[in-house]
């Protein structure tokens, strides 16, 4: 019986995976994300999710590891997690009133099989004043979120197209079915 491991300490990914009724444990991956490069956003999130899953998989036995990474992309620029409140304000100012794309890469890795894929969704921000942006950053502390925001905060997003769980950080659609292909569904998930 293979145990399922989420290679992330994101509380949002934890909630999404828990909502699927899957038993799993959390082992955060310790990779240097800044060293991973790609020319396309879809390739970048796939490489990052693979690296995270692989780092955890190599330290475990008899397991299925789920690695995931999310980025915000607009005008050929990748918006990862901001390092400071000031950087968060700058990111949100750029996104204000505009559409952008959220990419999440997912890797499911086991001894027998590895699958890496990505999902993308579109998000439009409300037009925000600098005071609204600063208040959001001060009150919601978005430094652990790609693009410096969380759609679940219900403060900055006007509308979206596509998977909501993808925008939050782990596309849940089809994930349970994909996991069932990694072994017998023996109640371990």
């Amino acid at each position: 019986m293979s145990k399922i491991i989420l290679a992330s300490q994101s509380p949002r990914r934890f909630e999404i995976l828990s909502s699927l009724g899957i038993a799993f444990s959390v082992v955060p991956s310790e990779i240097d994300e800044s060293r991973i490069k790609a020319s396309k956003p879809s390739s970048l999130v796939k490489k990052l999710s693979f690296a995270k899953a692989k780092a955890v998989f190599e330290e475990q036995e008899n397991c299925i590891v789920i690695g995931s990474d999310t980025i915000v992309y607009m005008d050929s620029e990748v918006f990862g997690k901001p390092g400071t409140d000031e950087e968060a304000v700058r990111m949100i100012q750029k996104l204000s009133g505009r559409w952008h794309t959220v990419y999440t890469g997912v890797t499911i890795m086991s001894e027998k099989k590895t699958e890496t894929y990505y999902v993308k969704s579109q998000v439009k921000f409300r037009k925000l004043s600098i005071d609204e942006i600063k208040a959001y950053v001060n009150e919601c502390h978005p430094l652990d979120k790609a693009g410096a925001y969380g759609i679940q905060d219900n403060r900055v997003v006007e509308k979206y197209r596509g998977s909501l769980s993808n925008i939050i950080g782990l596309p849940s659609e089809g994930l349970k079915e994909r996991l069932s292909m990694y072994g017998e569904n023996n109640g371990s998930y």
Side-chain angles (χ1 to χ4, degrees):
M1 180 164 78
S2 297
K3 61 184 176 182
I4 296 176
I5 298 173
L6 177 62
S8 173
Q9 59 189 4
S10 162
R12 293 160 300 280
R13 289 188 182 118
F14 182 91
E15 288 172 17
I16 290 168
L17 198 53
S18 295
S19 74
L20 297 176
I22 295 169
F24 66 97
S25 57
V26 172
V27 179
S29 83
E30 303 293 332
I31 65 161
D32 181 359
E33 294 182 29
S34 67
R35 298 178 63 107
I36 298 174
K37 307 288 183 207
S39 59
K40 297 189 313 190
S42 57
S43 298
L44 179 61
V45 293
K46 286 167 58 177
K47 283 183 172 184
L48 285 163
S49 72
F50 181 86
K52 289 178 177 183
K54 186 172 189 259
V56 170
F57 184 79
E58 289 175 346
E59 300 294 320
Q60 305 292 320
E61 290 184 12
N62 194 26
C63 64
I64 299 165
V65 177
I66 303 167
S68 184
D69 193 79
T70 302
I71 62 166
V72 167
Y73 188 76
M74 185 181 76
D75 296 339
S76 301
E77 184 177 355
V78 171
F79 296 75
K81 296 174 188 163
T84 64
D85 285 353
E86 293 76 21
E87 188 179 355
V89 168
R90 284 193 300 275
M91 283 185 185
I92 296 171
Q93 280 182 296
K94 288 181 182 179
L95 297 169
S96 176
R98 301 192 55 206
W99 283 96
H100 61 269
T101 306
V102 177
Y103 289 86
T104 299
V106 179
T107 296
I108 305 170
M109 186 175 288
S110 74
E111 200 66 52
K112 296 178 183 174
K113 179 178 175 179
T114 296
E115 175 183 15
T116 301
Y117 63 97
Y118 76 95
V119 174
K120 68 179 184 176
S121 303
Q122 307 293 319
V123 177
K124 184 173 192 250
F125 264 30
R126 294 186 308 102
K127 185 69 177 153
L128 303 163
S129 70
I130 188 66
D131 290 339
E132 288 174 306
I133 293 169
K134 287 180 178 177
Y136 175 76
V137 170
N138 287 333
E139 294 164 20
C140 295
H141 312 289
L143 298 187
D144 65 336
K145 298 175 180 82
Y149 77 95
I151 192 169
Q152 63 277 17
D153 299 330
N154 295 315
R155 299 268 300 265
V156 295
V157 173
E158 181 178 308
K159 56 186 167 182
Y160 71 93
R161 283 182 251 168
S163 166
L164 177 61
S165 60
N166 176 57
I167 298 165
I168 295 171
L170 183 64
S172 61
E173 298 81 5
L175 183 57
K176 192 169 187 175
E177 292 77 16
R178 286 176 191 263
L179 285 169
S180 70
M181 292 187 263
Y182 282 75
E184 296 175 28
N185 190 348
N186 51 15
S188 63
Y189 54 87

